[in-house]
Amino acid sequence: MKTSPFIGWAFILPAAVLLAVYLLYPTVLTIRMSLDTGQGFRLSEFIGLRNFVNLFTKDRFFFDVSRWPPRGALFNTALWVALFTLGTVGIGLLVAVLANTVRYEVLIKTIIFMPMAISFTAAGIIWRFVYSPDPKIGVLNALLMAFVPGADPVPWLGRTSLVNYAVIFAGVWIWTGFAMVVLSAAIKGLPKDVLEAASIDGASGWDTFWRVMMPMIWPTVVVVGTTMIINVLKAFDLVYVMTQGGPRGASRIIGYTMYVETFTNGRAGYGSAVAVIMLILIIPFLIMNLRRFRAEGRSL
Amino acid sequence: MKRSLKTLSLLLLGALLLFAMGPASGQGVRLVSLFVTFGGSELNALRQGLDAFTSATGIEVIVEQSREIIPILRTRVAGGNPPDVALVPRPGVVAEYARLGAIFPLVNADGSDGIMSAETLHANYSQGLIDVGVVDGVVYGLMAKANSKSTVWYKPASLAALGFSVPSTWDELIAITNAYRAAGKTPWSIGGQDGWTLTDWFENIYVRVAGPENYLRLFVTHEIEWTDPSVVEAMNLFRQIIRPEENLAGGAEGSLSRGFIDAANLVFRPDAGAELYYEGGFIGGIVSANFPDLRPGEDFTAFLFPAIRPEYGRPVVGGGDLLVAYRDTPEVREFFNFVAGTEFATIWAATGAIVSPNRNVDPSVYTVLAALDAGQVANAEAFVFDGSDLAPSALGGDAMFTGLQDFVSNPDQLTEILQFLEDVADANY
Amino acid sequence: MTTATTATVSAARPVTGTLFLRYSSRIATHLVLVVLAVVWLTPTAGLLVTSFRPLEAISDSGWWTALSPARFTLDSYATVLTARGMGRSFLNSFIITIPSTVLPVFIAALAGFAFAWIQFRARDTILLVIIALLTVPIQMILVPNLQLYSRLGITGSFVGLWLVHTAFGTPFGIYLLRNFFVQLPRDLFESARIDGASELTIFFRIVLPLSTPALASLAIFQFMWVWNDLLMALVFLSNPGRQPMTVAISGMIGTYGTEWHLLSAAAFLSMSVPLVVFFALQRYFVRGLMAGSVKG
């Protein structure tokens, strides 16, 4: 490329300035704050790594390995990363591919997309209705009673072993529309002739999907997956409106912990330490993305 | 075509920009900005009082509202953009701001006027209610509304059919519980998904077991530890409500997966799932909104949480909102003096939306349900503020919530639960 | 998914012995989609029915029993629509959302193009930092930015809010758009550069027109997130005359949040706008990237 070395910088300048002021600077402050008590959001007493030590040794809502299976926000977040990401990307991809072939494409996409447009408060209300332990109010228990005679209603949000799955499903319900729209944009962007060629060569639909379509949209799958993982790491709204982290702290995730410690409990230092852990947790996914950039760079 | 579209969007953007940059508000108008936690009809009721203030002083009140008042205030105070005045529901947070120097003294430690007139304050409030807003000897918060959290809601017809009258002692309450169960009915509905409903239970029991002074020593100063025998005794009394599990609609699990509104609805809907519901005075308003056919005071009403030890009687555990000043301006001063006065309190109380802690409000202004609540506050043998709101947030919030939820689901773990609460308390006082 | 491609070519190809297979996979496709549609619609339908029911009906029975006996009312919608300041706040929502959507999409597109197709020093490192910034939780940036605004004297202004939304939406925009841009065929850029086109020309004439599906999806998400935002509006706009709809709606809710009928009606009124935007942008999602542009 024989363009001026400054032209690239010129293109990213507006973004760089904006992000430096609005995101990078507060992030640096947060890292500093995580080493402090942070009374009233001010640096007040430097305490080194004590916040981090306390998180891993004294906070049973965050990290508790005294029992098997281990419990706490960190482990719940791991569960979210696995199930939420798989659910949203998997179902999103399924709909994006299948809807492409039917005449009611717009209808089905709208239906899957709709939850994204609902505010978290409203989503929280509707899912508390769905999961209500009372079969007169909760549709899930009403169905259970109708199809399994003699069954007891299940307190979906009241049982520590179920609550995470129940909230994650509500999360998948909301965010699948996101994965679907982005993946669909990628599929629409595929050159038709390639797919047609594969098909005429006699490849089955299944083969075409895995051998031709999937490699071409893989970068987008990675982008959507990474976005979903990042989403999980900082998510707090849904847990906040559906369970408040309960019952008995069983549905806490790290984004929720950060919010509650910082703003409800007023411990900005402690909350900042949780935020720093979020930043650290994203590193493996950054490396994954870096590898991809390098690979693309070679082909440039 | 393309060009005209571009011009149009440019024009539109320009117009937006002008619009957005326009002056923030009318200059020269006297203003007070007020942040409150409630909206809807409750806010409309408050506005009636604020309108009286505006017509008396010419000062306009700009009201901002969010149910997330504590997080929003924390952010805005730290960011240098607080409202002038806020109505804060937690005395613990008032104390935090006072110690950070973020709010102004209403009345100084030596009794001299701060933001407001000490005379007006003492003329309208009893010392007990003033004390709720005192931090280190200085009055920082003015309790502007109050409510009882010692109301047990029931259906008179159901209780009469069981052959009982309103209980005045704990033993009678347990007898009623057992009788309901024996009659094949579920006595209690609990909305333990909202952890604060459980802390309210505990507070009412504890203040009756240990007395108001020890109550404050447990929650405010932490001179009493959570492993203290008085705490164990209170928890064991609560255990008589939650065990056997047949006492609870949906058992322990069902109780922990139900919010406080669902729990109230369960008792008062046509095919009820339980007979008794303990929560604060505000439940009356919720039940009558959800079930307009029920006559308040007849089809449903409440009795005062029964006594446990004769020497402590029946103290009222209550909540309330404290007015604090983030700025000291002449307008803010006028505002406090007006709000503390009888006229404002009477107008606000007469809407039926709140109970006023102002002792000069004539009880006859209240509606049936508000009168029940107001009667408990006014006639209280002793009034203590909701303990979980007095304690540091980390303890009074999730720690107590989960501790008590743990207890509901597994009361045999009492020792571990109390040790956990003591650990949290230790780290937060 | 077997039918993803066969549907488009089956007309051009004689039907062979795999007819049965094709039909059964066709049926499977419909079955999967219908089941997903039902699962996805049920909660939304519940919310919709709830929004037409009086509070006492919501309190004593499930929404699927709404027809027996039929208890419906438009009161909740009337209450929401006539609430104090609702009209003004509807307008405010647009004033906040439109610039907060246009700005980040444009700024992210500029940067995304540079990250995809212009070589410069430290490019990948900067890109990684930007992706890392995606993890920054919104609550963490509020206090420092508010302090900055207090110093600059722009607290409570729309401009201040636009910039926060723009900054917060940009990292995702860059990440998403860079990924789409990088997939554009390389010879496009080479031939344009050989023809002497400037990078700016390439950006406006080639990259933007070819990326409408990606730009449209980014725009719809950014629009929706800003439209539904409550937190930033509460923190950055203190003047009630400037509050968006989300703030006005939350202002109808009392201390205990018991107004489920109003919340569900408000949810539908509020979500109708992003849905209209979704429909409006639908044709950009469908239009093929390569269609009629670079075939030659």
Side-chain angles (χ1 to χ4, degrees), chain B residues 245-257:
Chain B
E245 280 197 62
E246 291 73 41
N247 281 353
L248 307 177
E253 264 195 341
S255 299
L256 294 183
S257 60

Side-chain angles (χ1 to χ4, degrees), chain A residues 134 159 240 248 252 263, chain B residues 68 74 253 269 398 406:
Chain A
D134 179 350
R159 193 172 288 176
Y240 192 78
R248 300 183 279 143
R252 279 184 160 218
F263 294 99
Chain B
E68 298 303 313
R74 280 222 164 88
E253 264 195 341
R269 71 184 191 202
D398 279 353
D406 274 343

